[in-house]
Amino acid sequence: MAKFLIVEARFYDHLNDMLVAGARAALEAEGHKVDVITVPGALEIPGAIVLADQSGQYDGYVAIGVVIRGETYHFEIVAGESARGVMALTMDGLAVGNGILTVEDEAQALVRADPAQKDKGGEAAKAALALLALRTKYA
């Protein structure tokens, strides 16, 4: 049994609830323990994972958030930099599943967040599980 931390950037409550539910269900279905923390935005997720990892309490992580395109370039920065930050953590050997949605509108986010539809939270948790299995295999 492993212990996972879901780090969520909580901005759209109803969407985050679905993403976290999907991630939690996927991890708990495999018998793992799960904690959840909230950060202000998607850009803070990688930093929070680094801080949590320094504690030595967790075996893997799931990044959860929703970034919806707006009228400014800010979307591009948040979408790209949060993904880059999560990818950098995986390149450093952490088992991190990326469930940060980057979408054009709320309708796209709803389909992707809903565990009964695309279940991107669950998919991110399964990615974290797969990376943890690889890390264990090659340790």
Side-chain angles (χ1 to χ4, degrees):
M1 173 181 46
K3 189 169 182 184
F4 284 83
L5 179 65
I6 297 172
V7 180
E8 68 161 335
R10 191 157 192 91
F11 194 79
Y12 301 98
D13 289 342
H14 62 297
L15 299 170
N16 274 66
D17 287 345
M18 288 188 279
L19 288 165
V20 170
R24 181 184 291 279
L27 294 168
E28 290 177 349
E30 298 293 323
H32 302 295
K33 291 188 176 243
V34 179
D35 288 337
V36 180
I37 62 167
T38 301
V39 296
L43 292 174
E44 288 75 39
I45 291 172
I49 291 172
V50 167
L51 294 172
D53 195 60
Q54 290 172 352
S55 75
Q57 296 179 51
Y58 299 100
D59 301 296
Y61 304 90
V62 182
I64 296 290
V66 179
V67 183
I68 298 176
R69 184 180 298 280
E71 297 177 2
T72 68
Y73 185 69
H74 184 67
F75 168 86
E76 304 291 337
I77 293 169
V78 175
E81 291 301 310
S82 63
R84 185 195 60 76
V86 170
M87 180 58 71
L89 295 173
T90 63
M91 297 299 289
D92 286 342
L94 297 184
V96 183
N98 188 350
I100 303 172
L101 302 182
T102 53
V103 295
E104 296 293 325
D105 54 43
E106 186 174 347
Q108 288 180 349
L110 280 167
V111 170
R112 286 158 179 76
D114 187 352
Q117 295 185 60
K118 294 205 177 218
D119 192 20
K120 294 299 183 180
E123 286 184 14
K126 290 173 184 173
L129 287 166
L131 288 171
L132 180 59
L134 285 173
R135 188 174 76 197
T136 302
K137 178 179 180 177
Y138 295 115

